[in-house]
PDB file of all heavy atoms in Angstrom:
ATOM      1  N   MET A  30      86.450 -49.104 121.351  1.00 36.00           N
ATOM      2  CA  MET A  30      86.947 -50.313 122.020  1.00 36.00           C
ATOM      3  C   MET A  30      87.919 -49.907 123.116  1.00 36.00           C
ATOM      4  O   MET A  30      88.799 -49.092 122.881  1.00 36.00           O
ATOM      5  CB  MET A  30      87.684 -51.203 121.011  1.00 36.00           C
ATOM      6  CG  MET A  30      88.142 -52.531 121.591  1.00 36.00           C
ATOM      7  SD  MET A  30      89.107 -53.473 120.420  1.00 36.00           S
ATOM      8  CE  MET A  30      87.853 -53.988 119.275  1.00 36.00           C
ATOM      9  N   PRO A  31      87.771 -50.382 124.343  1.00 37.00           N
ATOM     10  CA  PRO A  31      88.709 -50.017 125.406  1.00 37.00           C
ATOM     11  C   PRO A  31      90.132 -50.405 125.031  1.00 37.00           C
ATOM     12  O   PRO A  31      90.346 -51.363 124.279  1.00 37.00           O
ATOM     13  CB  PRO A  31      88.216 -50.808 126.608  1.00 37.00           C
ATOM     14  CG  PRO A  31      87.157 -51.728 126.141  1.00 37.00           C
ATOM     15  CD  PRO A  31      86.772 -51.348 124.767  1.00 37.00           C
ATOM     16  N   VAL A  32      91.073 -49.646 125.590  1.00 34.00           N
ATOM     17  CA  VAL A  32      92.479 -49.889 125.250  1.00 34.00           C
ATOM     18  C   VAL A  32      92.877 -51.315 125.591  1.00 34.00           C
ATOM     19  O   VAL A  32      93.555 -51.983 124.831  1.00 34.00           O
ATOM     20  CB  VAL A  32      93.366 -48.870 125.996  1.00 34.00           C
ATOM     21  CG1 VAL A  32      94.836 -49.224 125.810  1.00 34.00           C
ATOM     22  CG2 VAL A  32      93.092 -47.474 125.483  1.00 34.00           C
ATOM     23  N   SER A  33      92.393 -51.764 126.762  1.00 38.00           N
ATOM     24  CA  SER A  33      92.770 -53.121 127.154  1.00 38.00           C
ATOM     25  C   SER A  33      92.248 -54.128 126.132  1.00 38.00           C
ATOM     26  O   SER A  33      92.891 -55.110 125.820  1.00 38.00           O
ATOM     27  CB  SER A  33      92.232 -53.449 128.539  1.00 38.00           C
ATOM     28  OG  SER A  33      90.816 -53.386 128.519  1.00 38.00           O
ATOM     29  N   GLY A  34      91.044 -53.828 125.619  1.00 36.00           N
ATOM     30  CA  GLY A  34      90.480 -54.720 124.610  1.00 36.00           C
ATOM     31  C   GLY A  34      91.350 -54.773 123.375  1.00 36.00           C
ATOM     32  O   GLY A  34      91.614 -55.824 122.829  1.00 36.00           O
ATOM     33  N   ARG A  35      91.833 -53.586 122.951  1.00 36.00           N
ATOM     34  CA  ARG A  35      92.706 -53.549 121.774  1.00 36.00           C
ATOM     35  C   ARG A  35      93.967 -54.374 122.012  1.00 36.00           C
ATOM     36  O   ARG A  35      94.435 -55.078 121.154  1.00 36.00           O
ATOM     37  CB  ARG A  35      93.128 -52.115 121.487  1.00 36.00           C
ATOM     38  CG  ARG A  35      92.039 -51.287 120.870  1.00 36.00           C
ATOM     39  CD  ARG A  35      92.611 -49.964 120.491  1.00 36.00           C
ATOM     40  NE  ARG A  35      91.539 -49.017 120.194  1.00 36.00           N
ATOM     41  CZ  ARG A  35      91.672 -47.727 120.376  1.00 36.00           C
ATOM     42  NH1 ARG A  35      92.788 -47.245 120.844  1.00 36.00           N
ATOM     43  NH2 ARG A  35      90.684 -46.935 120.079  1.00 36.00           N
ATOM     44  N   ARG A  36      94.507 -54.226 123.227  1.00 36.00           N
ATOM     45  CA  ARG A  36      95.740 -54.951 123.517  1.00 36.00           C
ATOM     46  C   ARG A  36      95.503 -56.463 123.419  1.00 36.00           C
ATOM     47  O   ARG A  36      96.295 -57.194 122.872  1.00 36.00           O
ATOM     48  CB  ARG A  36      96.244 -54.569 124.911  1.00 36.00           C
ATOM     49  CG  ARG A  36      97.610 -55.147 125.231  1.00 36.00           C
ATOM     50  CD  ARG A  36      98.143 -54.590 126.531  1.00 36.00           C
ATOM     51  NE  ARG A  36      98.333 -53.152 126.492  1.00 36.00           N
ATOM     52  CZ  ARG A  36      97.959 -52.330 127.465  1.00 36.00           C
ATOM     53  NH1 ARG A  36      97.375 -52.789 128.534  1.00 36.00           N
ATOM     54  NH2 ARG A  36      98.164 -51.036 127.369  1.00 36.00           N
ATOM     55  N   GLU A  37      94.364 -56.880 123.922  1.00 35.00           N
ATOM     56  CA  GLU A  37      94.065 -58.314 123.856  1.00 35.00           C
ATOM     57  C   GLU A  37      93.962 -58.790 122.415  1.00 35.00           C
ATOM     58  O   GLU A  37      94.455 -59.840 122.050  1.00 35.00           O
ATOM     59  CB  GLU A  37      92.750 -58.607 124.579  1.00 35.00           C
ATOM     60  CG  GLU A  37      92.910 -58.671 126.088  1.00 35.00           C
ATOM     61  CD  GLU A  37      91.587 -58.685 126.817  1.00 35.00           C
ATOM     62  OE1 GLU A  37      90.581 -59.033 126.191  1.00 35.00           O
ATOM     63  OE2 GLU A  37      91.575 -58.328 127.990  1.00 35.00           O
ATOM     64  N   VAL A  38      93.324 -57.922 121.612  1.00 35.00           N
ATOM     65  CA  VAL A  38      93.190 -58.301 120.201  1.00 35.00           C
ATOM     66  C   VAL A  38      94.573 -58.409 119.581  1.00 35.00           C
ATOM     67  O   VAL A  38      94.896 -59.372 118.891  1.00 35.00           O
ATOM     68  CB  VAL A  38      92.325 -57.262 119.447  1.00 35.00           C
ATOM     69  CG1 VAL A  38      92.417 -57.508 117.959  1.00 35.00           C
ATOM     70  CG2 VAL A  38      90.894 -57.334 119.925  1.00 35.00           C
ATOM     71  N   LEU A  39      95.425 -57.403 119.886  1.00 36.00           N
ATOM     72  CA  LEU A  39      96.776 -57.407 119.308  1.00 36.00           C
ATOM     73  C   LEU A  39      97.550 -58.628 119.772  1.00 36.00           C
ATOM     74  O   LEU A  39      98.140 -59.346 118.964  1.00 36.00           O
ATOM     75  CB  LEU A  39      97.514 -56.128 119.722  1.00 36.00           C
ATOM     76  CG  LEU A  39      98.962 -56.033 119.255  1.00 36.00           C
ATOM     77  CD1 LEU A  39      98.998 -56.023 117.733  1.00 36.00           C
ATOM     78  CD2 LEU A  39      99.624 -54.780 119.804  1.00 36.00           C
ATOM     79  N   LEU A  40      97.510 -58.880 121.082  1.00 36.00           N
ATOM     80  CA  LEU A  40      98.243 -60.040 121.591  1.00 36.00           C
ATOM     81  C   LEU A  40      97.700 -61.332 120.989  1.00 36.00           C
ATOM     82  O   LEU A  40      98.445 -62.229 120.657  1.00 36.00           O
ATOM     83  CB  LEU A  40      98.154 -60.089 123.115  1.00 36.00           C
ATOM     84  CG  LEU A  40      98.945 -58.996 123.839  1.00 36.00           C
ATOM     85  CD1 LEU A  40      98.664 -59.059 125.334  1.00 36.00           C
ATOM     86  CD2 LEU A  40     100.427 -59.129 123.567  1.00 36.00           C
ATOM     87  N   GLY A  41      96.362 -61.339 120.844  1.00 37.00           N
ATOM     88  CA  GLY A  41      95.767 -62.532 120.258  1.00 37.00           C
ATOM     89  C   GLY A  41      96.260 -62.772 118.855  1.00 37.00           C
ATOM     90  O   GLY A  41      96.619 -63.890 118.488  1.00 37.00           O
ATOM     91  N   SER A  42      96.332 -61.692 118.057  1.00 40.00           N
ATOM     92  CA  SER A  42      96.773 -61.892 116.681  1.00 40.00           C
ATOM     93  C   SER A  42      98.240 -62.282 116.631  1.00 40.00           C
ATOM     94  O   SER A  42      98.653 -63.076 115.794  1.00 40.00           O
ATOM     95  CB  SER A  42      96.515 -60.638 115.850  1.00 40.00           C
ATOM     96  OG  SER A  42      97.238 -59.555 116.390  1.00 40.00           O
ATOM     97  N   LEU A  43      99.046 -61.722 117.568  1.00 38.00           N
ATOM     98  CA  LEU A  43     100.457 -62.124 117.612  1.00 38.00           C
ATOM     99  C   LEU A  43     100.585 -63.591 117.970  1.00 38.00           C
ATOM    100  O   LEU A  43     101.403 -64.312 117.408  1.00 38.00           O
ATOM    101  CB  LEU A  43     101.217 -61.280 118.632  1.00 38.00           C
ATOM    102  CG  LEU A  43     101.524 -59.845 118.209  1.00 38.00           C
ATOM    103  CD1 LEU A  43     102.157 -59.095 119.371  1.00 38.00           C
ATOM    104  CD2 LEU A  43     102.408 -59.820 116.985  1.00 38.00           C
TER     105      LEU A  43
END
Side-chain angles (χ1 to χ4, degrees):
M30 184 185 288
V32 172
S33 62
R35 285 187 194 151
R36 187 172 298 135
E37 281 169 21
V38 169
L39 177 63
L40 290 174
S42 61
L43 285 174

